[in-house]
Every structure is written in structure tokens, then in C-alpha cells.
Amino acid sequence: MRTTMTALALVLAAATATGLPAFAEGAGGAAGAGPGVAAAPACGPGEVPLFDRLDADGDGKVTGVEVRAARAARVAGLDADGDGFLTADELTAHRLRRVETAIRNR
């Protein structure tokens, strides 16, 4: 249980560090939305929107099971040594790969 909570805390911290700044860019409000409602970040070429990635069975609803499965897959993909934990080095390496990819795709 502690391993799961630690992994979840790390994933949430990583999501907060990487997702909220992009989401906050639209803090002026999406077209037609009320004040303070952020526009969803646009997907880049070839990217699948988050909802579609989470909705594994394609029924138009995202369940807790689907969210947990996506989180587990994300942690497994970032866990370079396969020990079930994410270290600061693993998260930094992931972030560096994303930056390098963004620079290459300019």
C-alpha cells in the first residue's frame, strides 16, 4: 500500500509540475466559458487528447479503473529500472527527453 501511495504521489507531483503550467496558460477563460475556466491545452500533431487516452473502452466515460490503469502504465513507462518506484533521476530523464524531442521537432 505504501508503495502504491508513494508512486501515486510521485505521479501526481509530476503531473502537477508538467500539466498545470500549460493548463494555466488558458486561465483567461475558454471561448464561451465563464471567467476562470481554462481552455484545454491543444494537442500537438499526432497526439491523442487526454480524455481519449483515458477512455480505454471508448464508451465516452472515464472510470476510476481506467484512470488507475493509465497511471500504472505511466509509472511503469517512467520506471527505468523496473523497481516499482520513480526517482527524481527517472523523472528528470523523462523531462529531458521531452525537451529534447520538442527541440528536435521545432
Side-chain angles (χ1 to χ4, degrees):
M1 178 71 173
R2 183 178 174 132
T3 301
T4 302
M5 294 304 290
T6 301
L8 177 58
L10 288 171
V11 169
L12 292 175
T16 300
T18 60
L20 287 182
F23 196 73
E25 289 175 8
V37 176
C43 289
E47 291 183 13
V48 178
L50 176 61
F51 185 88
D52 294 339
R53 289 192 315 255
L54 293 175
D55 185 19
D57 61 8
D59 67 353
K61 298 178 251 176
V62 176
T63 66
V65 170
E66 289 169 318
V67 170
R68 287 187 292 278
R71 284 182 191 156
R74 179 96 167 135
V75 168
L78 297 176
D79 183 15
D81 60 9
D83 67 355
F85 297 93
L86 294 178
T87 65
D89 287 342
E90 288 168 328
L91 291 174
T92 300
H94 166 70
R95 194 72 178 136
L96 181 59
R97 285 190 302 272
R98 287 185 58 160
V99 168
E100 289 170 341
T101 299
I103 290 170
R104 270 194 313 275
N105 292 335
R106 286 177 125 188

